[in-house]
Each structure stands twice: as C-alpha cells, then as structure tokens.
Amino acid sequence: MRAAASGTGPVATKRPKDRKDRIALAGAELFCERGYHGVSVDEIAAVVGISGPAVYRHFPNKYAILVHATREVVGALLAATADPPTATAEGVLDVLLGRLASVAVSKRRVAGLYQWEGRYLTPEHRREFAATLTTLVGRLAGPLRELRPELTAEQAELLVNAALSAFGSVTTYRAATTGTGTEQLLTRVAWTLLRGDAPQLPPPQRGTPGTAPVRPAARRELLLIEAIRLFHRHGYHAVAVEDIGRAAGMQASSVYRYFPSKADLLAAAYYRATDRLAGATSAAITEASDPADALRRVVRAYVAYAFGQSDLVAVYLAENNNLPDKDRHQLRGAQRLHVEEWVRLVGTVRPDLPVTGARVLVHAALNVITDIGRLGRFDRAEGYDTQTAHLALAVLHA
C-alpha cells in the first residue's frame, strides 16, 4: 500500500505480473549459492522484496519453487535448441552450440540446479527432468551422427553430454564469467569434444553377486566411509547420525565418541579429499619432465582420484555449503589452490591464452571428468578412465 497524493487514503500497489518468476529466480540463485536445505522461504521473499506469506500466493511450499526453477532452466535450454535456421548438420550444431553457450553464461547463477540440487526432486519430477534432458541430448546427437556417421548412438550421446558438461561448468565457480569471449571459448570447447575420439562406455557392472566390500576394522574409519557413502547417495540433510551409526554397525551414541556432530563428519570427509587430491597433484608435478608432461600427469592423477574415490569426490563437489563455518573458508581456499595449479600449468603450456580463458578451460575439464565419469559409473573397464582423461586434455588444448 502507498499513500494517495491528496491524502485521501492508501492506494493498493499493483502486483507485478512476473512476481512468480521473480520468486523462482531468487529461489534458484539461493539454492545454487547455499544449497536447497540452506534456504528458507522467508529468505527468498526478502530477496524479492515481499513478505514470506506473499510467496504462498504463488507457491504452496519451497519444494514447488525448486520444481518451477528447474523447469525454467531446462526450458531455456530446450528453447535455445529449437528450430535452428540451417539445413546442414554442421550448421545446425554450430547454431545450437552458440545458443547453449549464451544460455549457460547468462544463466550461470541458476543453471547449477541441473547438477546437484536436482537430487532433492521426487522420483516423479526427477523422471520428468531426465526425459527433458534426453530430448535436449537428442537434438544435438542427431546432427552429430549425420556429421560423423561412424559414431554409434551411444558414442554420439556421450560426446554431447561432454559438451553440455563443459557449458555447465560455468556454474561451478564464483568468478565472474560474462561476455561473448567466454561464450566463444565454450563453443570452441564443445566443438573440440564433438569432433574428438568418443569413449566407449564400459559394460554393465560385473562382480560376484552377494560379494561385500572389505570393511576397515577401525571404527572411526568405518564411520567416515559410511558417512561419505550415505551423503553421496541421499544428500547431507537426508542422512541422520543414527543412519551412519546403523550402517557402521553401532549405536548413534557411539558415533559421538569419534565425531562431535554430523557436520564434523562432513568436514572430515572434505579434509580427506583435500589432502589426497593435493598429494596426488604434487606427486604428478614432481615426476614430470616439463610443463606439458606435468599437465598430462595432473589430469591423469585427477581422473585416477575421481574414479577411485567417486563417492568422496561427489560429496566434495556437492556439499560445500553444509560445512561448518570454521571449516568452509579454509577448505574453499584449498579448492581454489588446486584449480589455480591447473590454471598455472595451462598458462605455461599455452602462454598465448589469457588467465581468464585458462580458468574457463580448467573448470570445463574438471566438470567433464566428473560428469563423464558418472555416466560410466566410474568404471575403469575398457580403459574408460584413460579415455575420460583424453577428453579432459582435449578441453585444455581447445
């Protein structure tokens, strides 16, 4: 309400027609920044400049905001890939990749919903989301197979997923990434991936039915392993200390003898991931004969780490926002140092490339390793880990 100019009384302020979209956008940005469970409806309302109850005129709950925001992100991608105005396969791909690069950069603050926050969707909405992404992949895989008839449908889809992963990488870091220069670089990366050698997805998981993994005898180690597994499978907020204790074969009260809280378990997982990654990177650089060799070794070391510790890597990438305040700053600093080590190596190997461009390539390569590894279940069969490393190196040289 606002006062009338003549003092005759309040006049109703007209509600913006796009308020629902504004609420969804604010929610998406906060979900990507702080995690779905770390955001309240009142906080979303405050960003929009309305009261918490006003949100409920448009959405019944916070989950409905997540669903709407996810649909908006996917809808933008589908709109970008609709009706390319060209007849040749190469021309179609060039138009679509340019459009997707533009969407990725313009929506970088919300597009991260596709990677981690989608875990909180119900199975019904997850299936809807997956079906839409299948449509998106098909719109690029079709012309790619026309351009490269030697590819199987599976190989074409995998390369398209790698290209989409490169676009999605702009959502994984905080530095500003705007402008046509970034879009052009991402488009070049996507073309490099689509024209490269296609990895062969490993066959379905093998192994003897009923064979259980070897479990460590030390209780602290067992708790940490089970916590990492459960955090990855269900998300940090969906896992209780009782769940972790039960998985480790002990009472919840026994868990607290080793870790004061669930948050301390998460922090321990992060420190473990950080230490192992730093050690692997340092060893790779030390053993190298020159910068180009160091870059190859660092990529292979990260792939080996990701494939060997896939649960830990997934938690490391997804649960940053849930760390205790006292640990978050330190661990984010360690993550940045790891990325900057890659950026330094890329800059040494490619001195003509600006630092900002090197950083875009590094994040794209890291994202491709994670996403393509996940598509192949982080299985080393058929040399899938080596092929994934080749894709990442291609990105760094794009």
Side-chain angles (χ1 to χ4, degrees), residues 45-381:
V47 171
V48 182
I50 59 178
S51 67
V55 172
Y56 295 108
R57 298 193 187 107
H58 304 277
F59 296 99
N61 50 42
K62 185 175 72 169
Y63 178 76
I65 299 176
L66 175 64
V67 172
H68 185 91
T70 304
R71 285 172 174 161
E72 287 289 301
V73 170
V74 178
L77 296 174
L78 288 179
T81 55
D83 304 319
T86 178
T88 68
E90 185 172 12
V92 167
L93 285 171
D94 202 47
V95 169
L96 297 187
L97 293 179
R99 289 178 181 176
L100 287 170
S102 178
V103 171
V105 171
S106 65
K107 292 188 174 293
R108 64 180 301 271
R109 296 183 63 186
V110 299
L113 287 174
Y114 95 97
Q115 194 162 26
W116 301 116
E117 301 312 308
R119 293 175 302 166
Y120 301 116
L121 295 172
T122 63
E124 176 190 358
H125 289 129
R126 205 175 296 134
R127 286 192 295 270
E128 174 192 324
F129 187 36
T132 309
L133 289 179
T134 298
T135 299
L136 175 64
V137 170
R139 288 181 178 179
L140 282 83
L144 178 59
R145 289 194 72 196
E146 185 179 341
L147 184 66
R148 299 185 59 187
E150 77 279 7
L151 295 176
T152 65
E154 185 180 72
Q155 288 174 320
E157 289 170 5
L158 192 146
L159 290 178
V160 168
N161 273 290
L164 293 175
S165 178
F167 290 136
S169 67
V170 297
T171 71
T172 63
Y173 56 104
R174 295 171 178 270
T177 306
T178 58
T180 56
T182 299
E183 293 175 18
Q184 291 168 356
L185 181 54
L186 288 172
T187 302
R188 193 168 79 213
V189 168
W191 264 122
T192 298
L193 290 165
L194 295 184
R195 287 177 170 138
D197 294 333
Q200 181 66 48
L201 279 170
Q205 295 276 7
R206 298 171 306 281
T208 304
T211 300
V214 177
R215 288 155 65 95
R219 286 194 162 194
R220 187 181 191 280
E221 181 67 12
L222 180 56
L223 284 168
L224 188 54
I225 288 173
E226 293 298 341
I228 291 168
R229 182 181 64 82
L230 291 171
F231 291 158
H232 173 215
R233 182 172 297 180
H234 305 294
Y236 174 79
H237 285 276
V239 177
V241 170
E242 291 78 8
D243 299 325
I244 298 168
R246 188 180 308 111
M250 62 184 76
Q251 297 294 323
S253 58
S254 300
V255 177
Y256 295 111
R257 297 176 188 172
Y258 302 93
F259 298 95
S261 68
K262 186 175 73 167
D264 287 295
L265 265 164
L266 180 63
Y270 266 81
Y271 283 114
R272 165 163 295 188
T274 299
D275 290 345
R276 289 183 176 178
L277 189 53
T281 302
S282 177
I285 293 173
T286 301
E287 295 165 2
S289 58
D290 55 50
D293 185 40
L295 187 59
R296 287 191 295 271
R297 287 175 179 269
V298 163
V299 170
R300 288 199 295 265
Y302 186 82
V303 170
Y305 164 77
F307 275 64
Q309 305 282 333
S310 57
D311 283 358
L312 181 59
V313 171
V315 172
Y316 179 76
L317 295 172
E319 302 293 356
N320 218 307
N321 294 313
N322 295 311
L323 286 165
D325 290 339
K326 61 184 176 65
D327 300 302
R328 187 181 301 115
H329 179 74
Q330 179 179 346
L331 287 164
R332 280 182 174 169
Q335 288 176 324
R336 284 193 294 270
L337 286 175
H338 175 247
V339 169
E340 290 308 310
E341 189 67 72
W342 282 48
V343 171
R344 181 186 66 81
L345 286 172
V346 171
T348 303
V349 173
R350 301 183 58 183
D352 59 317
L353 188 68
V355 173
T356 53
R359 193 169 289 116
V360 169
L361 294 183
V362 166
H363 281 283
L366 290 168
N367 216 45
V368 165
I369 290 170
T370 304
D371 287 346
I372 297 306
R374 189 186 304 116
L375 282 176
R377 305 174 303 279
F378 293 100
D379 190 341
R380 294 187 175 93

Side-chain angles (χ1 to χ4, degrees), residues 23-59:
I23 293 169
L25 176 61
E29 291 180 351
L30 288 174
F31 296 153
C32 290
E33 180 183 344
R34 288 156 45 190
Y36 174 70
H37 286 286
V39 177
S40 69
V41 169
D42 285 341
E43 288 169 323
I44 296 172
V47 171
V48 182
I50 59 178
S51 67
V55 172
Y56 295 108
R57 298 193 187 107
H58 304 277
F59 296 99

